[in-house]
Amino acid sequence: MTEIERLQAILERIFGNDVNTLNFAPESRLREDVGMNSIGMLYVAMAIEQEFGVEFNNDDLLNIKTVQDVLDRIGGKA
Amino acid sequence: MDVGRIILIPYYLFLRMKIYDTQKQEYREKLRGGALILANHSSFRDPFYVGCAFRYRRMYFMTADVVMKNPLVRILLTGMGCVSINREAYDIQAIRKITALAKDGQTVAIFPQGGVHRDNDMQEIKNGAILIAIQAGVPLVPIYTCKPKHFYNRQIAVIGETLHIDRRMPSLAEIDRYSAELLHRMQNCQHIFNELTEGKTHD
């Protein structure tokens, strides 16, 4: 599985049908396009930390706006 | 050093707290291992009451960072086991810290109403505590107490049924259901508290 597929799997598991994974592309905005709320954002960040072994700080979460931002952070580019 | 429990000694002697379970029996269980204590928040005395109810354990408190702005207050509250959290941001670092404490076998008190509700209105709680309980793999213990109207009234607290979350990564919809169940248990504690203090003069 690619990183984006693993990320999508996490979102589907956490949000079920409440998140719009049809709009899931690197350029998708997490809030506006994917439909993520603030508690969801925290939960997803925790799940990503477990799945990918990365550690977010508070600024990361403020600056992450799109799926690509998450992928960059997972890949250690941020 | 556990400054919190040292400060609690006069409180405990003065309050003569009596603790009940939801069967209106005296609560005799001893909390062991990591746990999150979920308490109502109707005054700034609540951390002291919660500390008294679990006086046999060192207690940590999730505290809004605005309360800890003053450097002297910050030193005191940190000594008492307060962990500050920024409620206006995604404070994942504070959540990680609290999760680590609970995972390490400590008890952490959280006031899930997200602020002081002086009217004792308990209609809604935040989901953050559930997230922490999932991450740390610890149970959630509801408690209800509020200050007696007169200083000579004995302090009462009601400890509710522990909520265990056995799912490793539940969906947000399931977290909402856990949250609703937890709120129901907290309201039940409030109900029992009101029955126990009926005719007595509590706020």
Side-chain angles (χ1 to χ4, degrees), chain B:
Chain B
M1 184 170 61
D2 186 358
V3 180
R5 276 199 290 183
I6 293 170
I7 292 175
L8 278 180
I9 292 170
Y11 256 89
Y12 179 66
L13 293 173
F14 183 72
L15 294 170
R16 297 167 296 136
M17 181 176 266
K18 198 150 192 200
I19 306 166
Y20 293 90
D21 62 21
T22 48
Q23 305 302 312
K24 297 185 190 173
Q25 305 291 317
E26 198 173 336
Y27 186 87
R28 291 187 178 279
E29 277 178 50
K30 284 265 196 288
L31 199 60
R32 300 194 189 284
L36 300 184
I37 311 297
L38 281 297
N40 62 302
H41 204 2
S42 57
S43 87
F44 288 103
R45 297 177 191 84
D46 293 330
F48 296 101
Y49 299 154
V50 173
C52 284
F54 296 96
R55 62 195 172 278
Y56 54 89
R57 293 290 304 269
R58 172 156 199 185
M59 185 70 68
Y60 292 85
F61 298 91
M62 187 196 263
T63 311
D65 60 349
V66 288
V67 181
M68 297 172 78
K69 272 189 176 159
N70 180 306
L72 285 175
V73 173
R74 189 176 188 87
I75 290 169
L76 179 69
L77 292 183
T78 304
M80 286 176 67
C82 294
V83 178
S84 75
I85 186 161
N86 181 353
R87 291 183 303 195
E88 308 304 322
Y90 303 114
D91 199 345
I92 196 166
Q93 288 163 282
I95 288 178
R96 197 178 291 130
K97 212 169 174 178
I98 293 159
T99 303
L101 283 167
K103 228 178 197 169
D104 198 35
Q106 305 291 345
T107 44
V108 184
I110 296 175
F111 300 95
Q113 290 168 283
V116 175
H117 291 245
R118 294 192 193 282
D119 54 2
N120 287 329
D121 185 34
M122 204 159 46
Q123 297 302 320
E124 198 187 344
I125 57 172
K126 312 277 183 201
N127 285 352
I130 309 278
L131 290 189
I132 295 170
I134 293 165
Q135 294 292 311
V138 296
L140 298 136
V141 182
I143 179 171
Y144 185 90
T145 184
C146 72
K147 77 179 177 77
K149 194 161 189 174
H150 298 295
F151 71 90
Y152 49 81
N153 290 137
R154 200 168 173 181
Q155 180 72 35
I156 287 177
V158 178
I159 297 179
E161 197 188 336
T162 301
L163 180 67
H164 295 271
I165 298 177
D166 43 15
R167 297 286 311 277
R168 205 177 69 84
M169 198 193 285
S171 69
L172 272 182
E174 287 170 301
I175 286 178
D176 283 340
R177 281 196 287 277
Y178 281 124
S179 191
E181 176 59 30
L182 186 63
L183 176 62
H184 171 71
R185 292 182 189 197
M186 290 178 75
Q187 287 169 333
N188 191 33
C189 290
Q190 183 181 27
H191 177 68
I192 303 296
F193 178 92
N194 290 339
E195 281 185 3
L196 287 166
T197 57
E198 210 166 89
K200 295 180 186 170
T201 46
H202 277 75
D203 274 353

Side-chain angles (χ1 to χ4, degrees), chain A residues 2 20 29 78:
Chain A
T2 63
N20 189 357
R29 292 166 302 172

Side-chain angles (χ1 to χ4, degrees), chain A residues 14 31 43 46 49 56 58, chain B residues 90-91 93 95-96 170 172:
Chain A
I14 288 177
R31 277 181 177 276
Y43 193 16
M46 290 170 166
E49 286 186 342
F56 291 106
N58 297 349
Chain B
Y90 303 114
D91 199 345
Q93 288 163 282
I95 288 178
R96 197 178 291 130
L172 272 182

